[in-house]
Amino acid sequence: MTLKVYGGARSRASIIQWYLEEIGLDYEFVFVDLQAGEQNQPKFLAINPIGKVPAIQDGDLALWESGAILLYLAERYGQPSASIQERAVWGQWVLFANATLGPALFTDNLREKEGSRMLSAVNGVLKETEFLNGDTFTVVDVAVGSYLSYARMMLSLDFADYPAIATYVSQIESRPAYQKTIAAR
């Protein structure tokens, strides 16, 4: 059975697709028409009772929340030999992306207060290493990198004050898997 990715137009499902393209895993994209309310129909609610995308179906497993999906895919298909310590660090960065960085950048009342602090911290890490988790591109870079790229696209952040982030974002946006998924939208 082929892995199914459920998503709508301009949804975070593209983040999941980016990672799947990075690891070379075949999948089927199932378009959920959010404007028509398909996410609230019983068929989709059986996959995600919250009625949001993205979601995946991998055999008998239905999973939702982009961070949980990324971590599952990394462990099952991406780099299954990673140690528990490395998986914990991946979890830390993925949760940071969704729970801290995303809101700090995309919530108006937090952007001024928290955005620059979060970007300074990420910039500091990227001054020391090519990718967020060392010298190898991992699921962490999809999670955090997608938010940084979206901030550049949607908020017109140029990262002039964060040169390591500017270099990093340019680097990840040039990746073929990124070009095929997020840049193609």
Side-chain angles (χ1 to χ4, degrees):
M1 180 177 193
T2 302
L3 177 88
K4 293 182 180 181
V5 177
Y6 295 85
R10 300 171 95 71
S11 72
R12 288 197 287 180
S14 59
I15 299 169
I16 306 306
Q17 291 178 280
W18 176 19
Y19 186 64
L20 289 169
E21 293 293 332
E22 288 285 352
I23 63 174
L25 188 65
D26 290 332
Y27 62 94
E28 174 188 347
F29 182 78
V30 180
F31 179 74
V32 179
D33 189 341
L34 304 174
Q35 298 298 323
E38 287 181 5
Q39 73 277 19
N40 298 316
Q41 299 302 312
K43 184 177 176 181
F44 184 73
L45 290 173
I47 296 162
N48 182 353
I50 305 300
K52 292 181 137 298
V53 294
I56 65 166
Q57 201 161 23
D58 190 15
D60 293 335
L61 175 67
L63 192 61
W64 42 277
E65 281 297 324
S66 61
I69 294 167
L70 286 173
L71 291 170
Y72 167 77
L73 293 172
E75 186 155 342
R76 171 127 189 201
Y77 300 107
Q79 293 173 303
S81 63
S83 69
I84 191 167
Q85 292 86 356
E86 187 172 25
R87 289 192 309 271
V89 170
W90 290 352
Q92 171 184 271
W93 278 110
V94 170
L95 291 170
F96 165 77
N98 288 353
T100 305
L101 182 62
L105 295 177
F106 290 96
T107 306
D108 290 337
N109 63 340
L110 291 178
R111 190 174 309 118
E112 277 188 44
K113 181 180 175 183
E114 291 291 313
S116 63
R117 190 165 73 87
M118 295 303 111
L119 292 174
S120 291
V122 172
N123 194 69
V125 171
L126 290 170
K127 283 181 182 177
E128 303 298 323
T129 185
E130 183 176 5
F131 297 106
L132 288 168
N133 199 31
D135 294 330
T136 304
F137 183 90
T138 67
V139 69
V140 164
D141 299 294
V142 172
V144 175
S146 61
Y147 279 102
L148 295 172
S149 179
Y150 287 150
R152 191 190 57 72
M153 285 188 277
M154 296 176 198
L155 302 174
S156 299
L157 293 181
D158 65 4
F159 302 118
D161 294 335
Y162 312 98
I165 290 177
T167 299
Y168 173 76
V169 170
S170 293
Q171 181 182 357
I172 63 169
E173 288 179 350
S174 70
R175 296 178 71 83
Y178 177 95
Q179 289 295 313
K180 186 176 180 179
T181 55
I182 292 179
R185 296 215 186 284

